[in-house]
Amino acid sequence: MPAVRTAHGAQAVMADVAALAGVSHQTVSRVLNDRPNVRPATRERVLAAVRELDYRPNAAARMLVTRRSQTLGVISFDSTLYGPAQMLHGIEQAARGAGYFVSIASLRHQDVRSVREAVDRLRDQAVEGIAVIASQTSTVAALARHIGAVPMVTVGATAPGRLPGAGVDNNVGAEAAVRHLLDLGHATVHHVAGPGDWLEANAREQGWRTALEARSRPVPDSLAGDWSSRSGYEAGLRLRHDPSVTAIFCANDHMALGVLRALHEIGRRVPEDVSVVGFDDIPEAAFLSPPLTTVRQDFGELGRRGLGLLVHHVEVSAPGRGRTTVDHRQTAIVAPELVLRASSGRPPGR
């Protein structure tokens, strides 16, 4: 709707709202800043005038008065991947609910220079805090020089002792997947791992290894993937002719999809000959053939938890409240859930 012009033909200013509502401009300011010391009837008159004039507060002027931008920065990487895209959505939704705007810096690479430039760019926009959808070890290292300069949290992977963060317990999720396969009777479990410089991949590989060692089972060499279905397919090609391979745990569902294709091509049935388990529970997992057993992580909840941590640190260090030391050990851990479907079963002959 086009803005309503005032009698002097210009965009409405606070004085126009005050005149129409019959109050002082100080009262208009108190209403717009949601101060409690305004009578309900007066507040409603002011808000009605704001709507009628389509008044838009001057963000720059408000920032000069409050010294707050009400804007949070988000650094995201490769948001076409299902997980980061869902986390970003959760962050945006939670920020809107908390009364903050969001400025997003989407990077193609997670090298130190790109991350630092993104932080500097967001700080130039006067963001009050930054959430980083972190995945690689280099990301956390790149953030080190900014610790203390602006409130920051990581989302997706945590860096205990360095930055507050929200993450899924990847170790626990991987251990649950491997224990499930061992409980079905498999002698051991092979692993298609994610990229070695990704925090989640390392944690899932460690969980896989821990679960096997806890049962005194052989630990096969893991196969490196890059999260893509193609890399899962190539790993499956290396495993598909080995009759001793009866169970495969993949570090994400897309690689599990590639493994399923490789097994299908030579007629090794899933789960009758080989069981396959993934990680993430992407929307397509329930519709694969067979439906994929996987470890579900709630990406939206990760985004909300991370944003909640960030808002907390922003609020305690806001102008006029005194800076409070941030506990860098503070983390919000979202529990994973093993989702049982038809791709896992007993090994042949059991």
Side-chain angles (χ1 to χ4, degrees):
M1 184 180 81
V4 175
R5 296 294 172 179
T6 62
H8 45 79
Q11 181 73 41
V13 297
M14 188 179 292
D16 298 315
V17 175
L20 183 59
V23 298
S24 67
H25 74 273
Q26 291 93 338
T27 298
V28 174
S29 178
R30 285 195 291 270
V31 171
L32 294 177
N33 288 291
D34 201 25
R35 300 290 173 77
N37 54 337
V38 180
R39 289 183 296 179
T42 303
R43 183 182 301 276
E44 183 51 43
R45 286 208 317 276
V46 171
L47 293 176
V50 167
R51 290 191 294 270
E52 181 175 340
L53 295 172
D54 194 31
Y55 171 68
R56 294 289 182 267
N58 186 306
R62 174 179 288 184
M63 185 174 171
L64 286 174
V65 174
T66 64
R67 291 185 292 161
R68 301 195 62 184
S69 66
Q70 292 298 126
T71 301
L72 301 174
V74 180
I75 298 176
S76 178
F77 308 91
D78 196 2
S79 57
T80 59
L81 290 172
Y82 176 72
Q86 290 300 108
M87 283 187 276
L88 180 59
H89 179 70
I91 290 171
E92 288 183 297
Q93 293 286 89
R96 188 179 302 116
Y100 285 87
F101 301 103
V102 172
S103 180
I104 300 171
S106 183
L107 304 183
R108 179 173 298 179
H109 304 292
Q110 299 191 44
D111 58 276
V112 172
R113 179 178 178 180
S114 296
V115 174
R116 288 179 174 174
E117 287 179 349
V119 173
D120 288 337
R121 188 162 65 251
L122 289 171
R123 291 184 64 194
D124 288 344
Q125 297 174 28
V127 299
E128 297 191 51
I130 299 175
V132 184
I133 299 179
S135 56
Q136 295 185 9
T137 53
S138 59
T139 306
V140 177
L143 297 172
R145 80 170 189 179
H146 296 282
I147 293 176
V150 61
M152 287 191 296
V153 301
T154 59
V155 182
T158 58
R162 304 184 71 176
L163 286 170
V168 163
D169 197 326
N170 289 285
N171 291 75
V172 167
E175 288 182 42
V178 175
R179 284 198 305 268
H180 163 64
L181 291 166
L182 296 179
D183 289 344
L184 288 170
H186 295 276
T188 190
V189 178
H190 289 255
H191 182 48
V192 180
D197 57 347
W198 283 60
L199 297 166
E200 296 100 322
N202 292 336
R204 293 170 197 175
E205 184 167 3
Q206 183 57 52
W208 161 75
R209 188 179 304 277
T210 297
L212 291 177
E213 292 175 345
R215 299 279 185 95
S216 299
R217 301 299 177 86
V219 181
D221 291 336
S222 62
L223 299 178
D226 62 8
W227 301 130
S228 70
S229 297
R230 174 174 289 279
S231 70
Y233 174 75
E234 292 169 351
L237 291 179
R238 295 172 61 184
L239 295 172
R240 64 181 182 172
H241 292 298
D242 185 346
S244 69
V245 176
T246 64
I248 304 172
F249 166 55
C250 301
N252 80 338
D253 290 347
H254 286 101
M255 292 192 298
L257 172 60
V259 168
L260 290 174
R261 170 64 183 270
L263 294 173
H264 175 75
E265 284 185 353
I266 64 163
R268 294 200 73 183
R269 300 167 301 166
V270 177
E272 292 85 358
D273 300 320
V274 182
S275 290
V276 178
V277 175
F279 204 112
D280 284 344
D281 195 27
I282 60 175
E284 298 83 4
F287 302 97
L288 298 178
S289 182
L292 184 67
T293 294
T294 187
V295 179
R296 175 182 295 157
Q297 52 176 330
D298 190 336
F299 293 108
E301 181 64 14
L302 274 176
R304 290 186 289 272
R305 293 277 193 94
L307 194 282
L309 273 178
L310 182 59
V311 168
H312 168 72
H313 293 309
V314 166
E315 293 295 332
V316 299
S317 60
R321 299 192 182 183
R323 182 168 294 277
T324 300
T325 301
V326 172
D327 183 356
H328 291 152
R329 298 168 299 176
Q330 187 174 8
T331 57
I333 301 300
V334 177
E337 176 189 0
L338 181 63
V339 181
L340 301 181
R341 297 194 180 102
S343 69
S344 57
R346 294 188 176 278
R350 294 293 296 270

